[in-house]
Amino acid sequence: MFARRLPLWRSSATCKPWQMGLSLRHGWERCQAWSCRGVNTTAEQGQQVNMQQNQVLEDLEMPVVRRETENLFQERPETGNQYLEDALLRSYLKAHLPPKVLEEVSQDLERFGNRLLTEVKPLGWECELNPPVFRQYDAWGQRVDHIITCSAWKRMKEISAEEGLIAEAYERRYSNWSRVHQAVKLYLFSTTSGGFNCPLAMTDGAAKVIESLGTPASLKNAFDHLTSRDPKKFWTSGQWMTERRGGSDVANGTETVARKQPDGTYRLYGFKWFTSAADSDVTLTLARIADAEGHVKQGSSGLSLFFLKVRDEDKKLNNIRVQRLKDKLGTRQMATAELWLDGAEAELISAEGRGVASISNMLNITRIHNVIGAVASMRRMISLSREYALKRVVFGKLLKDHPLHMQTIARMEVQTRGAFLLLMEIARLLGLAETNMASEQDQLLLRLLVPVAKLYTGKQASATVIEAMECFGGQGYMEDTGLPVIVRDTLVLSIWEGTTNILSLDVLRSLTKSRGQVIAVFFSTVQKKIELALSTAELEPAVKQMRAAISRLTQFIQGAGSKDAVTMELAARDFSYSLARIYAGALLIEHASRPDASAEDISAARRWCNQELCPVATEFKNRSYEAEESLMDSSLVYGSPPSTSRL
């Protein structure tokens, strides 16, 4: 009898017939004879062994590709037209857009959704597989500093023009609803764009800056190119702010110097450490103007804003040297570079010393684009997870039939709904502001919500896409599924255009600058939205929780007002989260209060409001923002209070 039966697929290390030039079957017979010496088997056992031998032989003789396919086969999740499959998007547009606008916009979005599926999505993957390459010298040793991008990237630029992804916002065909139309198209485009959504963000920002300056005659041509629908005329713009010291502190980190020329133009000299979309046609950048003695003014009041073309009429770089391309975690489809400005010709477009104020319009727009990218990545990963759950069988049933799995996706769905409505609210307010239809309250609210939404959705997106990655098990970790690309590209969204802490402090500045007016507008707007639900019994719990959160937030503001400035700085992050959760809750309740609201709309509002809506009040009660707690923060990080430097 067998004392122990070894797995038949494990042959002796010394018996490898395929290495000895023997046929598989002859080799197996030699191996079998050798391995069974001295072992007695019954006839029945021998028959079983022979059957297993034959099966193994069939597997070994099977073509390798076929064997691998049969060993592991999972059906790919396939999504269709993104617009038609996004019920929340369609219900939002139906609730807000005028009927005629809704009809035209819906037709455009359905058509665009089909184009994304058939044309844009394959191009996006090609961009991922063929990232930009830097060629510093030609074959004869001449320095060329050529950034080479793939044909798919160039085609993305053409499609962006054809679809009016920038033009739509500035043509204003639909008056104040044009920004909503543009935001939705960018939202649909984002995750299939192969990273081209990033240069579009900066292009939109540059156009906004030029428009806010009254579109000076010298910039009219540039504005026309930036907002063109003609692929042959369309330009993209960069945004060159970060220098060697890096970070958001441009007031103290900008070293680039501008020297005025006799003809009124300027020459820029300096080093730009992080320039996204380095292959763009034009850019906006900050620099310090040198006086006759070569001195410059420090601080933010010494910064001015400049416009420059990256290349001249002969396509040669404008006295710009490329040092290297950045090796990034994500957004690898886009060329990001370190650049030396060695006398780059530029035009001063802001008042001298008003560069930061002038470029703020660009930052506002790029932060909104950041929100678009965040919500788009959340929606894309949930859509794929949902489709996969309809096909993947685990433990004898489809994933969709496992309650815990459905609960996990449903929780992500609730977060995505809140983020989406925040995005639409910002786009709506921006559209009002750009068509002179915004009230003072609308403008204050927009100023507050942009940093709030940017910081909150950036964190939401990172958490959601990583959670959604788990829905695919090991396949979620495989590069060729495309899922890791979405995850990597999403992680930048909490960093680009200001980290969470930087933007939290910006939220505090908006409160201080408005002398408290903005928070009053926030409270009144939230109250109006939740009052819409008073006749909807199913929303009573959500309304009750919202009112409790508003009361707690009010108490925090009153209590923190008597503390020093450090208290509010320590609370800034939790305070911003509280604003985001409360306002998103109000938007979800408003959407669920519609006469034709679905059961899912009502459930999403209730579930959102079940979370901690006002974390800042909880932490304030726990004395987390006291001075002694701040000292303990340092002790926890370093093990003891930081010692004084002995330099």
Side-chain angles (χ1 to χ4, degrees):
M1 297 291 292
F2 274 114
R4 179 166 61 95
R5 179 179 295 166
L6 295 174
L8 291 174
W9 58 86
R10 292 182 61 188
S11 60
S12 167
T14 61
C15 188
K16 298 178 181 177
W18 51 89
Q19 292 180 353
M20 300 187 298
L22 302 174
S23 72
L24 286 171
R25 191 168 296 276
H26 178 62
W28 176 270
E29 291 168 355
R30 290 277 303 275
C31 247
Q32 193 270 341
W34 180 88
S35 61
C36 291
R37 286 173 186 165
V39 178
N40 297 318
T41 63
T42 66
E44 182 181 355
Q45 289 171 333
Q47 186 177 9
Q48 290 177 347
V49 169
N50 288 334
M51 290 175 62
Q52 290 176 330
Q53 288 175 351
N54 290 334
Q55 181 61 53
V56 172
L57 285 170
E58 289 177 11
D59 289 345
L60 288 171
E61 292 174 346
M62 187 185 300
V64 173
V65 173
R66 184 181 164 199
R67 270 190 279 132
E68 290 178 347
T69 302
E70 293 196 359
N71 286 339
L72 174 63
F73 181 79
Q74 297 181 18
E75 195 170 349
R76 175 195 300 271
E78 295 287 357
T79 57
N81 186 308
Q82 293 179 64
Y83 172 66
L84 295 179
E85 292 182 351
D86 198 327
L88 179 62
L89 166 58
R90 288 186 288 109
S91 66
Y92 176 87
L93 296 178
K94 181 181 177 182
H96 290 84
L97 267 56
K100 180 62 175 174
V101 174
L102 176 63
E103 180 183 0
E104 293 185 16
V105 166
S106 294
Q107 290 175 357
D108 180 56
L109 295 177
E110 182 175 350
R111 176 202 57 77
F112 186 47
N114 288 331
R115 188 178 193 184
L116 291 173
L117 195 62
T118 59
E119 182 181 2
V120 176
K121 183 180 176 182
L123 290 171
W125 187 241
E126 188 178 335
C127 290
E128 173 65 23
L129 296 178
N130 298 279
V133 176
F134 176 43
R135 182 186 176 202
Q136 194 166 34
Y137 296 94
D138 67 12
W140 306 102
Q142 298 296 313
R143 184 159 182 171
V144 291
D145 284 4
H146 189 195
I147 297 174
I148 303 168
T149 57
C150 67
S151 59
W153 180 261
K154 296 178 176 67
R155 181 61 185 139
M156 284 294 189
K157 182 178 180 181
E158 295 173 349
I159 292 172
S160 298
E162 293 164 359
E163 292 292 340
L165 296 182
I166 303 302
E168 197 63 61
Y170 297 91
E171 293 169 347
R172 304 203 171 98
R173 289 189 296 161
Y174 302 119
S175 184
N176 57 299
W177 295 109
S178 293
R179 271 293 179 185
V180 169
H181 183 202
Q182 182 213 28
V184 171
K185 292 193 78 168
L186 290 166
Y187 161 73
L188 296 174
F189 180 68
S190 182
T191 55
T192 56
S193 71
F196 207 82
N197 54 327
C198 184
L200 289 180
M202 295 179 289
T203 302
D204 196 356
K208 181 64 177 176
V209 168
I210 294 173
E211 185 181 60
S212 70
L213 295 172
T215 317
S218 62
L219 294 175
K220 178 66 166 60
N221 181 58
F223 181 81
D224 290 344
H225 279 281
L226 293 169
T227 59
S228 177
R229 287 179 180 266
D230 184 346
K232 295 180 180 179
K233 296 180 180 179
F234 181 57
W235 285 354
T236 56
S237 175
Q239 173 188 306
W240 299 354
M241 293 177 63
T242 306
E243 302 201 1
R244 278 183 288 200
R245 296 183 185 178
S248 301
D249 188 8
V250 295
N252 296 309
T254 303
E255 300 172 328
T256 300
V257 173
R259 302 187 187 281
K260 192 170 184 178
Q261 306 300 302
D263 63 357
T265 63
Y266 287 79
R267 296 281 181 173
L268 303 187
Y269 299 84
F271 181 69
K272 297 296 180 178
W273 186 79
F274 196 95
T275 60
S276 296
D279 62 320
S280 291
D281 302 280
V282 298
T283 191
L284 300 187
T285 189
L286 296 171
R288 301 184 188 280
I289 297 177
D291 59 22
E293 287 75 37
H295 300 139
V296 297
K297 185 177 182 180
Q298 298 301 318
S300 61
S301 61
L303 292 173
S304 301
L305 183 61
F306 292 85
F307 168 87
L308 64 88
K309 292 182 180 180
V310 177
R311 294 170 183 80
D312 60 22
E313 299 300 327
D314 296 324
K315 303 300 181 182
K316 293 182 179 180
L317 289 172
N318 175 15
N319 294 310
I320 298 168
R321 288 183 289 118
V322 182
Q323 178 155 296
R324 64 170 177 164
L325 294 186
K326 308 294 276 191
D327 188 9
K328 300 170 293 179
L329 171 66
T331 64
R332 302 177 72 90
Q333 316 94 327
M334 176 186 64
T336 302
E338 296 175 7
L339 303 177
W340 283 100
L341 307 183
D342 190 17
E345 186 175 343
E347 176 185 350
L348 175 65
I349 63 173
S350 72
E352 190 169 333
R354 294 286 296 167
V356 174
S358 297
I359 206 169
S360 63
N361 282 300
M362 186 177 209
L363 300 180
N364 227 32
I365 295 296
T366 53
R367 286 171 179 173
I368 293 172
H369 277 255
N370 204 95
V371 178
I372 293 171
V375 181
S377 64
M378 295 167 74
R379 173 54 64 205
R380 181 62 179 161
M381 287 295 277
I382 290 175
S383 295
L384 291 169
S385 300
R386 183 180 60 193
E387 291 302 309
Y388 193 58
L390 294 172
K391 300 176 179 180
R392 173 70 166 144
V393 176
V394 181
F395 301 118
K397 56 185 178 181
L398 291 168
L399 277 175
K400 76 176 185 63
D401 296 323
H402 289 271
L404 182 59
H405 190 75
M406 285 296 97
Q407 180 193 73
T408 302
I409 298 179
R411 287 176 175 175
M412 292 189 289
E413 174 67 25
V414 171
Q415 289 298 311
T416 303
R417 284 174 174 246
F420 174 81
L421 292 178
L422 267 177
L423 165 61
M424 289 294 99
E425 179 76 345
I426 291 171
R428 183 186 71 83
L429 291 170
L430 179 60
L432 291 173
E434 291 183 329
T435 52
N436 298 316
M437 298 171 66
S439 64
E440 182 181 355
Q441 289 75 19
D442 290 332
Q443 294 180 36
L444 285 169
L445 197 56
L446 179 62
R447 169 67 181 88
L448 175 68
L449 289 181
V450 170
V452 165
K454 190 277 177 190
L455 70 88
Y456 195 71
T457 59
K459 302 299 281 190
Q460 275 184 305
S462 295
T464 298
V465 299
I466 291 172
E467 184 74 78
M469 197 180 194
E470 286 190 41
C471 293
F472 300 89
Q475 283 296 92
Y477 203 64
M478 299 298 107
E479 279 292 340
D480 51 2
T481 65
L483 298 170
V485 176
I486 299 175
V487 173
R488 286 197 302 271
D489 290 355
T490 299
L491 295 179
V492 75
L493 298 175
S494 61
I495 300 172
W496 192 56
E497 296 306 336
T499 61
T500 306
N501 286 350
I502 291 295
L503 288 171
S504 296
L505 296 176
D506 189 45
V507 169
L508 295 187
R509 280 192 293 273
S510 72
L511 266 65
T512 303
K513 192 173 181 179
S514 72
R515 297 181 180 179
Q517 283 182 292
V518 69
I519 200 65
V521 171
F522 175 88
F523 282 133
S524 65
T525 304
V526 168
Q527 291 283 9
K528 289 176 183 176
K529 291 183 183 301
I530 64 176
E531 284 173 5
L532 297 171
L534 295 180
S535 59
T536 307
E538 298 95 325
L539 291 172
E540 282 183 14
V543 171
K544 183 178 180 181
Q545 288 160 321
M546 284 288 290
R547 285 179 167 166
I550 293 169
S551 176
R552 294 173 66 213
L553 183 59
T554 302
Q555 292 172 12
F556 162 74
I557 292 172
Q558 293 171 346
S562 62
K563 304 285 186 177
D564 57 24
V566 175
T567 299
M568 277 306 294
E569 180 176 338
L570 289 170
R573 190 182 181 107
D574 294 334
F575 179 68
S576 297
Y577 282 12
S578 301
L579 295 179
R581 291 179 185 176
I582 290 172
Y583 202 88
L587 292 170
L588 285 161
I589 288 173
E590 178 186 43
H591 192 71
S593 301
R594 299 168 6 259
D596 60 345
S598 66
E600 293 78 19
D601 294 330
I602 293 171
S603 177
R606 292 183 60 170
R607 291 182 183 210
W608 180 277
C609 294
N610 282 337
Q611 69 181 312
E612 170 62 271
L613 293 172
C614 194
V616 72
T618 300
E619 294 302 322
F620 186 67
K621 183 179 179 180
N622 293 339
R623 304 176 66 85
S624 299
Y625 313 130
E626 299 290 336
E628 57 268 27
E629 287 300 310
S630 180
L631 290 173
M632 184 52 65
D633 290 341
S634 295
S635 295
L636 284 168
V637 172
Y638 293 105
S640 61
S643 59
T644 304
S645 173
R646 297 181 179 179
L647 295 178

